[in-house]
C-alpha cells in the first residue's frame, strides 16, 4: 500500500432532483456489480470500492501525486493558520476561484486543459453519472495526521443539492458522513484504493 492518499472530488454546479442521478449511477454497467447505495430521507451515498482496479489505481496515484499542490490558509482571531492538507483546484475558467468560507484564502484556478489525466477522469465520471462536471478539488494527505474536518459541500456557487463525485487513490482511509438532520447519526466506511463515492441531496 502507498503511504499517502489522494482524494479527487468533482462537483456539478447545478440543481438536480434527488433520485434521478442515483438511479442513473446505479444502472450504469461500470457500477452495477460493486456499487452500494446508502439512502437517507434527504440524501444518498453510492459507493464503488473498485472503480479503478490494480494496477490502474496505482498508476493514477503516481500521475496525480505530481500535481503542483498548494498549501491552504485561513484566518482565525487575526492569525493566519496553515490548513491540514495541500490541495489543487481545477475549473473550466479562471473566474471560479475556490474558498471554503469567508475566513479561508481562495485557491487559484488550474485549468482542466493543462492536465490530460484530469480531463480523462472527468469524462469517465460524467459517463457514469450522466451529469456534466465542471470543477475538481484534488487533496493530498501525506501522513495520518493530515485530514479534512466535518464540512458540507454547500458553497453557494454550487447551487442547492449538488452532485459530488469523489475518487480515492493510495492507502485506505476512513470516511465519515452524516445527515444534516441528525448529526449524531454518523456512518463510517473505508475508502479503498481506486474507489468512487457519489454523494447527493442534503447529506
Amino acid at each position: 500500500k502507498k503511504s499517502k492518499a489522494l482524494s479527487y472530488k468533482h462537483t456539478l454546479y447545478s440543481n438536480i432532483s434527488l433520485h434521478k442521478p442515483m438511479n442513473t449511477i446505479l444502472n450504469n454497467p461500470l457500477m452495477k456489480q460493486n456499487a452500494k447505495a446508502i439512502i437517507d430521507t434527504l440524501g444518498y451515498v453510492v459507493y464503488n470500492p473498485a472503480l479503478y482496479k490494480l494496477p490502474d489505481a496505482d498508476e493514477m496515484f503516481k500521475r496525480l501525486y505530481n500535481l503542483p499542490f498548494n498549501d491552504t490558509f485561513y484566518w482565525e482571531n487575526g492569525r493566519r493558520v496553515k490548513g491540514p492538507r495541500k490541495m489543487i483546484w481545477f475549473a473550466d475558467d479562471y473566474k471560479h476561484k475556490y474558498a471554503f468560507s469567508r475566513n479561508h484564502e481562495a485557491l487559484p484556478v488550474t485549468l482542466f486543459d493543462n492536465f490530460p489525466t484530469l480531463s480523462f477522469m472527468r469524462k469517465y465520471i460524467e459517463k457514469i453519472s450522466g451529469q456534466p462536471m465542471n470543477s475538481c478539488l484534488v487533496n493530498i494527505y501525506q501522513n495520518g495526521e493530515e485530514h479534512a474536518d466535518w464540512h458540507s459541500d454547500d458553497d453557494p456557487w454550487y447551487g442547492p443539492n449538488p452532485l459530488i463525485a469523489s475518487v480515492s487513490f493510495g492507502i485506505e482511509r476512513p470516511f465519515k458522513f452524516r445527515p444534516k438532520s441528525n448529526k449524531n447519526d454518523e456512518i463510517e466506511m473505508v475508502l479503498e484504493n481506486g474507489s468512487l463515492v457519489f454523494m447527493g441531496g442534503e447529506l
Side-chain angles (χ1 to χ4, degrees):
K1 293 289 177 68
K2 303 296 184 210
S3 60
K4 299 176 175 64
L6 284 159
S7 172
Y8 168 92
K9 184 164 69 175
H10 265 311
T11 305
L12 163 68
Y13 292 110
S14 70
N15 187 12
I16 54 177
S17 60
L18 181 60
H19 295 300
K20 182 180 178 181
M22 183 190 70
N23 290 333
T24 300
I25 292 164
L26 289 174
N27 288 326
N28 189 289
L30 295 169
M31 297 289 284
K32 267 188 174 181
Q33 290 185 343
N34 295 318
K36 302 174 184 177
I38 301 169
I39 305 172
D40 181 76
T41 306
L42 299 174
Y44 61 89
V45 173
V46 179
Y47 176 63
N48 184 338
L51 178 69
Y52 285 88
K53 299 177 175 61
L54 295 176
D56 294 339
D58 285 344
E59 177 61 29
M60 295 304 294
F61 178 93
K62 291 176 183 177
R63 294 184 185 184
L64 295 174
Y65 182 76
N66 291 318
L67 291 172
F69 290 95
N70 302 286
D71 285 315
T72 58
F73 296 91
Y74 61 95
W75 290 85
E76 186 176 66
N77 299 322
R79 186 169 60 95
R80 190 172 186 250
V81 181
K82 187 176 178 180
R85 66 195 185 280
K86 290 185 176 183
M87 310 175 192
I88 183 170
W89 170 250
F90 289 87
D92 285 321
D93 57 61
Y94 289 110
K95 293 185 297 184
H96 295 296
K97 292 183 179 180
Y98 184 80
F100 305 95
S101 63
R102 291 179 181 177
N103 65 330
H104 278 83
E105 297 179 6
L107 287 172
V109 175
T110 303
L111 299 181
F112 276 107
D113 291 344
N114 295 338
F115 290 88
T117 297
L118 269 293
S119 296
F120 174 80
M121 290 182 67
R122 176 190 189 182
K123 292 176 182 178
Y124 194 28
I125 298 301
E126 289 176 336
K127 180 179 178 180
I128 294 170
S129 66
Q131 301 286 337
M133 299 287 176
N134 57 13
S135 68
C136 176
L137 181 67
V138 185
N139 302 273
I140 183 167
Y141 304 91
Q142 300 186 88
N143 56 58
E145 300 300 318
E146 296 190 357
H147 63 282
D149 289 321
W150 284 107
H151 65 279
S152 297
D153 292 308
D154 56 1
D155 305 274
W157 53 84
Y158 290 160
N161 301 334
L163 178 65
I164 307 296
S166 179
V167 185
S168 298
F169 298 103
I171 195 169
E172 296 177 354
R173 280 291 192 103
F175 172 67
K176 294 181 180 180
F177 58 93
R178 62 191 181 189
K180 292 181 180 179
S181 56
N182 183 1
K183 293 187 177 180
N184 293 320
D185 186 16
E186 296 181 9
I187 298 174
E188 181 173 334
M189 62 173 62
V190 175
L191 300 182
E192 301 175 47
N193 185 17
S195 62
L196 166 66
V197 176
F198 281 106
M199 295 171 281
E202 297 184 16
L203 283 167

